[in-house]
Amino acid sequence: MLHLYTDSSPNGFKATIALEELSLAYQLHHVRIDEGDHRKPEFLALNPYGRIPVLMDTEKGVQLFESAAILLYLADKTGELLAPKGPTRWEAIKWLQFHASSLGPLLGQRVHFTLFADTPIPLAQERYQRLTEEAFQVLDQTLLDRPYLAGDDYSIADIAHFGWLHIARIIQFDFSHHRYLSEWFERVAARPAVRKGVTLPAPATGA
């Protein structure tokens, strides 16, 4: 049995989308961050860093945190959403890592300094707006001549990026001026598993 511990967040949506895409049976555990569930001892036993999502595969004895690791595990477990070998496989892994090391953290900082910082810091707001815009431009140019980030096939790289870009849309971090990125977003958003995944365990509100 797969157990997913998550909340309505960009990183959490990556896991729920992947599980829905793969039609895997799993038990969903709602970790309510706004109520401090992620700081309780029982959750810290799963992830000592106190971050969602966490995936447990009790049949295989595997316990994972970090959304990129979870995506790789699910792709490896099923043989889907990631080419088994060759350049396309590494193209997907490359863009997965780009998200994990660049776009995701940059958007996270932009969200913090724009929406949640106790005291506005204009230099930080400008910095992360500029850096996320540069990352959007990189994605836009990559998608100019391909439907998905790794090429012709939808992969875990697309799922990873969609989680955060879904939130960016909700909180009005506009990227509509990037034509190819916007077309990719609409293409991914139309998938039934994606539409369901971003409602689990509840839709995000941006608050």
Side-chain angles (χ1 to χ4, degrees), residues 4-25:
L4 179 67
Y5 298 80
T6 191
D7 201 356
S8 302
S9 78
N11 292 325
F13 291 146
K14 299 172 198 176
T16 52
I17 289 170
L19 286 162
E20 293 298 326
E21 289 281 8
L22 296 166
S23 299
L24 289 169

Side-chain angles (χ1 to χ4, degrees), residues 6-77:
T6 191
D7 201 356
S8 302
S9 78
N11 292 325
F13 291 146
K14 299 172 198 176
T16 52
I17 289 170
L19 286 162
E20 293 298 326
E21 289 281 8
L22 296 166
S23 299
L24 289 169
Y26 65 100
Q27 185 171 347
L28 184 65
H29 305 267
H30 193 173
V31 180
R32 293 173 172 82
I33 292 174
D34 58 354
E35 297 178 16
D37 288 354
H38 61 307
R39 296 301 183 195
K40 293 179 179 178
E42 54 267 33
F43 184 75
L44 292 174
L46 303 174
N47 181 359
Y49 195 42
R51 298 289 188 271
I52 59 92
V54 171
L55 181 74
M56 292 182 61
D57 186 337
T58 55
E59 179 185 357
K60 300 296 185 182
V62 173
Q63 180 174 306
L64 294 169
F65 53 85
E66 293 297 334
S67 56
I70 290 170
L71 289 174
L72 284 166
Y73 179 76
L74 292 174
D76 184 67
K77 179 181 179 70

Side-chain angles (χ1 to χ4, degrees), residues 9-205:
S9 78
N11 292 325
F13 291 146
K14 299 172 198 176
T16 52
I17 289 170
L19 286 162
E20 293 298 326
E21 289 281 8
L22 296 166
S23 299
L24 289 169
Y26 65 100
Q27 185 171 347
L28 184 65
H29 305 267
H30 193 173
V31 180
R32 293 173 172 82
I33 292 174
D34 58 354
E35 297 178 16
D37 288 354
H38 61 307
R39 296 301 183 195
K40 293 179 179 178
E42 54 267 33
F43 184 75
L44 292 174
L46 303 174
N47 181 359
Y49 195 42
R51 298 289 188 271
I52 59 92
V54 171
L55 181 74
M56 292 182 61
D57 186 337
T58 55
E59 179 185 357
K60 300 296 185 182
V62 173
Q63 180 174 306
L64 294 169
F65 53 85
E66 293 297 334
S67 56
I70 290 170
L71 289 174
L72 284 166
Y73 179 76
L74 292 174
D76 184 67
K77 179 181 179 70
T78 61
E80 298 182 40
L81 298 175
L82 182 65
K85 59 183 178 180
T88 303
R89 174 184 178 84
W90 288 105
E91 192 72 3
I93 291 173
K94 176 181 74 178
W95 287 108
L96 175 67
Q97 295 303 317
F98 174 81
H99 178 81
S101 63
S102 297
L103 184 66
L106 291 174
L107 276 170
Q109 292 299 312
R110 183 175 173 185
V111 167
H112 172 76
F113 286 110
T114 302
L115 300 178
F116 298 117
D118 293 333
T119 302
I121 305 175
L123 284 176
Q125 292 175 349
E126 293 167 8
R127 169 181 171 79
Y128 288 107
Q129 182 175 356
R130 173 177 56 81
L131 290 173
T132 54
E133 180 62 26
E134 290 175 359
F136 291 158
Q137 179 66 25
V138 168
L139 293 172
D140 189 61
Q141 288 301 302
T142 299
L143 291 160
L144 182 151
D145 60 355
R146 60 178 76 177
Y148 299 106
L149 286 167
D152 291 332
D153 296 325
Y154 176 72
S155 75
I156 56 174
D158 300 290
I159 294 173
H161 281 84
F162 187 86
W164 262 109
L165 288 170
H166 172 68
I167 296 299
R169 276 282 176 92
I170 289 175
I171 59 179
Q172 299 180 358
F173 286 180
D174 184 38
F175 55 87
S176 61
H177 51 293
H178 295 294
R179 172 186 170 184
Y180 304 105
L181 179 59
S182 295
E183 290 175 354
W184 165 90
F185 181 88
E186 298 301 334
R187 191 178 303 123
V188 175
R191 297 176 67 90
V194 173
R195 291 201 301 267
K196 183 176 181 181
V198 295
T199 69
L200 300 171
T205 63

